[in-house]
Amino acid sequence: ASTYPDQTVSTHWALPDHIQIGLRWENDSFSIAIEGGLSLWSIQETAEFVLPESDPLVVQYNWRNSGSVKVGGSWNPSKSFTIRAGTYIDGIPAPGPTETLSPASPDATRVGGTLGAGIQITDAVVVNSAYEGMILLGRESASPDAPMARYQGNAHFFGVSVALKIP
């Protein structure tokens, strides 16, 4: 197989629109929310890579739209302390069909959970911390243009923030 010479490349990449709708219920110390969403991945059927010294390269994706469901809640055991938790499934079905599945495509349905806490130190300072664990459900590639492999994974995210409330 021939290789492309070193050269610049350009392409147009369309990011999908995301439509989300949710409901929230709360009382003095507890709240719960549910959200549903639709990601319009089908906007990216192909990508054309323009190469000034070679013929353009067109990659076929045939991505499909996918949905998501998220549920979360918070509890305030005191006026200055909040505990948060949530779960989600995103990519129902996974956006990329197995025929075009590759390391570069939206490759999996994601299932995750979150935990967090916040403490109000003073009237003006709040410290928050959060954790998210995510699993990318495995899928087998049937693409003739990508490694015949099973794509799956997991990720862990941690965060801390300090908020300053200015009156």
Side-chain angles (χ1 to χ4, degrees):
S2 64
T3 60
Y4 291 97
D6 286 344
Q7 59 188 306
T8 60
V9 63
S10 64
T11 190
H12 171 79
W13 191 262
L15 295 176
D17 289 323
H18 299 281
I19 301 166
Q20 307 287 131
I21 188 164
L23 298 171
R24 179 180 164 140
W25 173 86
E26 63 183 60
N27 66 18
D28 291 340
S29 64
F30 183 77
S31 72
I32 189 164
I34 185 166
E35 179 179 297
L38 178 65
S39 298
L40 303 177
W41 284 105
S42 62
I43 192 171
Q44 192 72 40
E45 292 183 14
T46 62
E48 180 178 15
F49 297 90
V50 179
L51 308 158
E53 299 174 29
S54 307
D55 291 334
L57 172 65
V58 177
V59 176
Q60 192 76 30
Y61 290 118
N62 296 326
W63 290 343
R64 57 189 171 227
N65 299 333
S66 67
S68 64
V69 177
K70 303 168 188 170
V71 178
S74 66
W75 175 51
N76 299 14
S78 72
K79 288 189 175 207
S80 62
F81 188 64
T82 303
I83 299 170
R84 300 175 192 94
T87 188
Y88 63 88
I89 184 167
D90 187 11
I92 313 164
T98 58
E99 294 78 19
T100 61
L101 183 61
S102 74
S105 68
D107 54 345
T109 298
R110 293 159 298 286
V111 179
T114 60
L115 293 172
I119 187 164
Q120 187 164 350
I121 306 296
T122 68
D123 286 344
V125 178
V126 178
V127 177
N128 290 291
S129 63
Y131 165 76
E132 176 181 354
M134 176 177 56
I135 298 170
L136 291 97
L137 300 181
R139 299 181 62 215
E140 303 284 338
S141 174
S143 172
D145 300 320
M148 300 303 280
R150 179 171 177 79
Y151 296 99
Q152 63 187 32
N154 61 67
H156 302 275
F157 305 98
F158 299 90
V160 175
S161 69
V162 177
L164 178 61
K165 296 179 182 180
I166 301 173

